[in-house]
Amino acid sequence: MSRTSNRSLYLIGALVAAGTAGTYACQGGGGGAVGAGDMASAAQAVYVAPGTYDEFYAFMSGGFSGNLTVMGLPSGRLLKTVPVFSQYPENGWGYSEETKAMLQTSHGFLPWDDAHHPELSMTDGVPDGRWIFINGNNTPRVARIDLTTFETTEIIEIPNSAGNHGSPFITPNSDYLVASTRFSVPIPNRDMSIEDYRGNFKGTLSFIRANQPDEMEIAFQILMPGYDYDLAHAGKGPSDGWMFFTSYNSEEEHTLLEINASRKDKDFVAAVNYRRAEECIANGAGGTSQVRYRHNHFDENHIAVSEELTSVRVIEPADCENLVYFLPTPKSPHGVDVDPTGEYIAAGGKLATVIPVHSFSKMIAAIEAGDFEEVVDGIPVIRYESVIAGEVENAGLGPLHTEFDGRGFAYTTAFITSEIVKWQIGTWQVVDRIPVYYSVGHLMIPGGDSRQPWGKYLVALNKITKDRYLPTGPELAHAAQLIDISGDRMRLLLDFPTQGEPHYAQGIAAEIIQNNQVQFYALEENTHPYAAKSEAETRVTRQGNQVHVQMTSIRSHFTPDNIEGIRVGDEVYFHVTNLEQDWDVPHGFAAMGAENAELLIMPGETRTLKWVPREVGIYPFYCTDFCSALHQEMQGYARVSPRGSSTPLRWGTGGTWRTN
């Protein structure tokens, strides 16, 4: 057999292992059975050779994991899980004393949330790779992740809100993130009958300043009618200064929404002129709402602090003329997406038979002409025929979300018919379609919601994967599929599992991020109050029933590695400083009986584990992260004596003991 044939068989095998051979056997967008050569070509397109890098980072929402996953494209390889809203034992997020405050809210310490929509920071409408943001849906929050460290560095809670689904969509220069309420509630929230919903429950649209690290703040909130607000996207180019939000349940129903909130043929896209809001607020419009919410961030010692805030500025459309307009949109819309030129606003009506595309210039003309159907709660409703640019017909059933390739084409997910539909901007004609497996919600094109999409790949984020993977009991893998969109016809390349429920994703060229990585923290810049920057600085001190162990770790031992004088019931704080000054040499730390998780300490960093021994005895501790050939030898012992014992506090390494 020829060397070429051997290579083809190898690539086919790789394709089968990735789970895509079956996909090609039933793929549309070309249809029919596909030969070995085509399968080999698909496998070659996603093959990233050992020692080489993916072309793109893909940031995938972790859904009900509460976290963010980072994957490489085109390989689909998992690179990292970034903990955000949920405790994460792999690195002690939300368990270590330095990170617990990041999960504080006005409801107390909350170790979980439901993370839906990643959003990259932008400069001039193009992803810039500084940060990525993501929302907490259950307890309304927005988080910032620093893409030099891939660590969550800031979380702000959103008051006057319930169900923070429509967030955190960003403006072209990262001035604002927006967050809209999925569930309208009484504002201020109070005890009242749910049956009195209509007219008494309200939604909010929150504008959060985002362009300065550690300084996120809620600039203002707009009080809206009591609908369900779903997704959003910012205008760009001619529509810069506007934000567009989908809404449904304009019926203002409170029960059995699948029937009662689907009666009207059209709901709305809310078009918000946020520059006008700034003007009105500067002139004194609106008022102050007394609330309680939390802003969490790391201080100069890299220790999380949680600040309670007690007020937010709220304005209503009646306070600010020309602030909000409603664009009628069929029917129960989900996504609202602005094309790269900023002229067209595509909406995804979950129950619609077409994809409605609004025109920004026609919207402005209609506003200037006063061409309104009616006024609802002080908000003008623009006549549908006056704002619509076109309707994409035959677009599949259940259109949800659209992104763009930068070459004049748009791609929309059809949830019910499980397909991606490609259509041309301007002609509104469908030019291609491809089945995906199954029940696709969002899709992602790297840069596909920006002014300059990369336009090479599309990732379909599927809700159901029956028969795609080896079965794993009642719950099966959630998954994504990678599609080549570089040519005239879409081509399915790869299936790959994802964490949790994949709601949305963002992608960016790897070259923008990969050379900006922090490789270690400079030990001399460590200002943690319990840091030990050398073995000579290690010590153990008692303050009442608190014992503070200032410990160091280096390949392959702890200092100290023997500790005595701890008593039952003491609160023991192991402050471990990693003395390494080299890339990718973290050390772990775990103690027997600890009621939390391990620590994972980056080079030059200090992290703290709280440990409360319940019984007398000898307790081992050890390094949990493989660090050297002598990793197994990296261990130590703590002696725990009875409560009230006179056992002296002493510590040592190598048989030499020290005392205070």
Side-chain angles (χ1 to χ4, degrees):
M1 184 175 292
S2 71
R3 183 173 299 175
T4 301
S5 298
N6 273 325
R7 185 167 184 271
S8 295
L9 286 174
Y10 169 78
L11 291 168
I12 293 169
L15 182 65
V16 172
T20 58
T23 300
Y24 261 78
C26 55
Q27 177 190 330
V34 178
D38 292 318
M39 289 193 291
S41 173
Q44 188 170 14
V46 301
Y47 180 66
V48 178
T52 60
Y53 298 144
D54 279 286
E55 186 177 358
F56 293 94
Y57 286 98
F59 299 95
M60 318 283 283
S61 78
F64 40 68
S65 79
N67 298 322
L68 178 82
T69 53
V70 185
M71 308 186 90
L73 294 181
S75 72
R77 298 183 296 199
L78 175 65
L79 303 177
K80 186 178 180 67
T81 296
V82 180
V84 185
F85 299 112
S86 296
Q87 286 181 299
Y88 193 64
E90 182 177 308
N91 66 0
W93 177 260
Y95 293 99
S96 71
E97 297 304 297
E98 288 79 10
T99 61
K100 285 180 180 178
M102 293 298 284
L103 302 183
Q104 286 292 338
T105 74
S106 61
H107 306 276
F109 178 82
L110 297 186
W112 173 86
D113 215 312
D114 183 18
H116 279 219
H117 304 122
E119 184 82 350
L120 286 159
S121 58
M122 290 191 183
T123 299
D124 196 24
V126 179
D128 57 26
R130 290 180 294 165
W131 309 300
I132 191 162
F133 303 88
I134 193 166
N135 62 327
N137 184 31
N138 185 58
T139 300
R141 289 175 279 179
V142 171
R144 181 199 308 268
I145 297 159
D146 184 339
L147 291 181
T148 67
T149 61
F150 282 66
E151 181 179 53
T152 302
T153 58
E154 189 174 10
I155 297 175
I156 190 166
E157 188 181 2
I158 305 171
N160 292 331
S161 180
N164 177 41
H165 185 258
S167 75
F169 299 101
I170 201 161
T171 57
N173 282 298
S174 304
D175 296 322
Y176 294 114
L177 297 171
V178 300
S180 59
T181 53
R182 175 180 173 184
F183 311 115
S184 288
V185 293
I187 296 176
N189 213 341
R190 56 196 181 274
D191 181 18
M192 62 176 292
S193 174
I194 299 171
E195 292 182 323
D196 292 331
Y197 180 114
R198 190 173 293 117
N200 292 308
F201 286 35
K202 298 293 183 181
T204 55
L205 311 178
S206 300
F207 285 74
I208 302 164
R209 291 194 180 96
N211 209 17
Q212 293 297 323
D214 304 324
E215 296 182 11
M216 283 199 295
E217 64 173 341
I218 299 171
F220 59 89
Q221 296 181 313
I222 302 173
L223 196 63
M224 296 288 287
Y227 308 159
D228 290 34
Y229 297 87
D230 206 354
L231 296 178
H233 265 101
K236 52 181 77 83
S239 56
D240 187 18
W242 290 77
M243 183 66 71
F244 303 92
F245 299 83
T246 50
S247 66
Y248 60 99
N249 191 23
S250 55
E251 296 87 349
E252 293 190 76
E253 292 289 350
H254 58 81
T255 184
L256 203 62
L257 262 60
E258 63 177 315
I259 297 172
N260 293 325
S262 304
R263 297 197 310 268
K264 293 184 178 180
D265 288 334
K266 292 184 176 68
D267 287 293
F268 300 119
V269 166
V272 176
N273 185 342
Y274 59 87
R275 299 299 182 204
R276 176 61 181 153
E278 294 172 337
E279 294 173 357
C280 290
I281 290 170
N283 291 326
T288 300
S289 175
Q290 299 302 313
V291 290
R292 290 176 54 248
Y293 61 106
R294 290 279 180 168
H295 176 225
N296 308 328
H297 62 95
F298 285 101
D299 66 11
E300 65 278 4
N301 298 320
H302 205 59
I303 299 173
V305 294
S306 182
E307 304 166 331
E308 182 175 83
L309 305 176
T310 57
S311 65
V312 66
R313 190 66 172 269
V314 178
I315 62 172
E316 300 186 45
D319 300 331
C320 183
E321 189 178 6
N322 304 319
L323 174 63
V324 183
Y325 297 90
F326 279 148
L327 314 183
T329 302
K331 176 176 183 185
S332 296
H334 184 62
V336 55
D337 304 286
V338 182
D339 86 308
T341 71
E343 167 62 17
Y344 297 113
I345 304 112
K350 299 191 294 287
L351 304 178
T353 58
V354 298
I355 301 170
V357 185
H358 299 298
S359 160
F360 179 75
S361 59
K362 293 180 73 172
M363 183 191 86
I364 295 299
I367 291 170
E368 292 174 348
D371 190 5
F372 306 135
E373 292 181 357
E374 58 179 328
V375 177
V376 176
D377 289 322
I379 301 172
V381 180
I382 300 175
R383 195 176 306 278
Y384 182 71
E385 292 75 16
S386 299
V387 73
I388 199 74
E391 295 179 334
V392 181
E393 299 181 351
N394 192 29
L397 300 179
L400 292 184
H401 174 222
T402 300
E403 288 201 351
F404 307 90
D405 64 7
R407 298 187 298 273
F409 295 99
Y411 303 75
T412 300
T413 57
F415 180 83
I416 296 173
T417 47
S418 296
E419 59 182 329
I420 305 292
V421 177
K422 177 181 178 181
W423 48 275
Q424 188 168 26
I425 299 170
T427 69
W428 322 121
Q429 298 298 307
V430 172
V431 297
D432 194 20
R433 60 201 322 132
I434 188 171
V436 289
Y437 305 96
Y438 304 94
S439 297
V440 60
H442 283 271
L443 57 80
M444 180 273 282
I445 296 170
D449 63 346
S450 76
R451 286 181 52 249
Q452 296 178 12
W454 278 271
K456 183 174 183 179
Y457 298 117
L458 180 153
V459 177
L461 300 167
N462 304 324
K463 306 296 188 185
I464 298 173
T465 62
K466 287 180 181 178
D467 73 29
R468 303 301 294 175
Y469 301 97
L470 287 172
T472 53
E475 183 189 19
L476 305 180
H478 294 91
Q481 292 183 298
L482 183 69
I483 296 170
D484 180 353
I485 59 170
S486 61
D488 292 336
R489 307 299 298 274
M490 292 180 282
R491 187 167 69 120
L492 187 59
L493 298 177
L494 182 70
D495 285 18
F496 58 97
T498 63
Q499 185 180 45
E501 183 181 351
H503 290 275
Y504 184 43
Q506 291 263 277
I508 190 171
E511 62 187 8
I512 296 174
I513 293 177
Q514 68 187 77
N515 294 325
N516 299 326
Q517 299 304 294
V518 172
Q519 297 185 349
F520 58 87
Y521 297 100
L523 196 60
E524 64 271 18
E525 297 174 6
N526 184 333
T527 57
H528 192 288
Y530 287 98
K533 299 181 185 180
S534 69
E535 293 187 359
E537 295 181 12
T538 60
R539 59 196 306 238
V540 181
T541 56
R542 175 178 290 280
Q543 300 169 12
N545 74 328
Q546 291 187 356
V547 176
H548 292 270
V549 180
Q550 292 174 251
M551 176 182 285
T552 61
S553 61
I554 197 166
R555 289 168 285 187
S556 295
H557 64 273
F558 293 108
T559 301
D561 63 5
N562 284 199
I563 305 166
E564 294 188 351
I566 296 170
R567 302 164 189 160
V568 170
D570 279 346
E571 293 181 358
V572 182
Y573 294 88
F574 289 100
H575 309 283
V576 186
T577 301
N578 183 346
L579 298 181
E580 308 284 355
Q581 293 287 268
D582 194 7
W583 191 20
D584 194 29
V585 192
H587 287 295
F589 181 84
M592 180 179 171
E595 296 174 335
N596 41 39
E598 67 159 356
L599 299 176
L600 191 61
I601 312 115
M602 298 301 111
E605 186 179 49
T606 302
R607 282 285 182 260
T608 303
L609 181 141
K610 179 181 178 180
W611 179 62
V612 181
R614 306 297 181 185
E615 297 179 357
V616 299
I618 303 298
Y619 290 82
F621 52 82
Y622 68 103
C623 178
T624 54
D625 190 83
F626 194 94
C627 56
S628 71
L630 298 177
H631 164 71
Q632 286 292 97
E633 284 75 12
M634 193 168 175
Q635 65 183 51
Y637 293 100
R639 174 186 173 186
V640 177
S641 299
R643 188 187 302 270
S645 168
S646 60
T647 305
L649 190 66
R650 64 176 188 156
W651 64 96
T653 304
T656 301
W657 291 91
R658 296 170 57 193
T659 61
N660 285 318

